[in-house]
Amino acid sequence: MPQVEVMDGEFHVFLEHEMTKEHYISCFAYVTSNYAQFVKLYPEQNAECRFTRRGHGAVYAYCNRHGLYKVLV
Ligand SMILES: [Fe+2]
């Protein structure tokens, strides 16, 4: 599951997951009732990103093999 930490007014999102061309986290998304932010990831990158906090919602991570993970924030 993605790990979410609050750092300097942002959510730092990271996931222990392989990032090979065959199997990787292809995006993260942060969604609230009136806001969404999306970060595309590529193989060989780290599976992490930062989102500006806009209140409670959910953070999603998408694995190209295993599908969607969701964490409430
Ligand atoms: Fe996976």
Side-chain angles (χ1 to χ4, degrees):
M1 293 297 287
Q3 306 292 308
V4 181
E5 293 179 347
V6 177
M7 292 174 67
D8 303 324
E10 296 182 310
F11 288 126
H12 178 224
V13 181
F14 56 100
L15 181 54
E16 291 275 343
H17 191 282
E18 69 176 88
M19 292 292 284
T20 62
K21 287 180 182 172
E22 294 77 27
H23 182 197
Y24 66 105
I25 300 299
S26 66
C27 68
F28 286 119
Y30 168 45
V31 180
T32 73
S33 60
N34 61 357
Y35 175 82
Q37 191 176 346
F38 179 88
V39 173
K40 180 79 180 101
L41 298 174
Y42 297 93
E44 313 303 336
Q45 282 186 305
N46 292 328
E48 65 178 329
C49 75
R50 287 174 181 266
F51 291 118
T52 302
R53 288 174 73 193
R54 297 283 189 99
H56 293 291
V59 169
Y60 297 90
Y62 185 76
C63 168
N64 70 327
R65 283 197 185 172
H66 300 116
L68 204 56
Y69 298 91
K70 176 183 179 182
V71 175
L72 297 178
V73 294

